[in-house]
Amino acid sequence: GCDASLLIDPTNKTASEKNDGANASVRGFDIIDEVKEALEAACPSTVSCADIIALATRDAVALSGGPKY
């Protein structure tokens, strides 16, 4: 599942952080969905969307010359 609350799609019954005005500049949801789908096909119920975001952030920081963590 997607345990990163920013990734939860809104429903008729609940609002979502994804569509909140404060998060209007966030993009790339489609890429995360594609990665999640591929990972689920290869190893079901193993990698969460939060894991994907953490690793993508780590790599983006490193590629931009930031500190390693």
Side-chain angles (χ1 to χ4, degrees), residues 10-51:
T11 66
N12 291 336
K13 296 178 183 179
T14 60
S16 169
E17 286 186 48
K18 185 184 261 187
N19 294 342
D20 186 75
N23 297 319
S25 65
V26 179
R27 52 192 198 279
F29 293 118
D30 54 332
I31 296 168
I32 294 168
D33 291 341
E34 288 177 30
V35 171
K36 178 66 174 165
E37 186 177 323
L39 285 169
E40 280 298 313
C43 47
S45 301
T46 303
V47 180
S48 72
C49 291
D51 295 332

Side-chain angles (χ1 to χ4, degrees), residues 1-14:
C2 291
D3 52 4
S5 63
L6 182 60
L7 300 173
I8 298 171
D9 288 315
T11 66
N12 291 336
K13 296 178 183 179
T14 60

Side-chain angles (χ1 to χ4, degrees), residues 49-69:
C49 291
D51 295 332
I52 295 167
I53 292 172
L55 293 173
T57 301
R58 178 203 63 191
D59 293 348
V61 169
L63 289 169
S64 66
K68 293 182 180 182
Y69 69 95

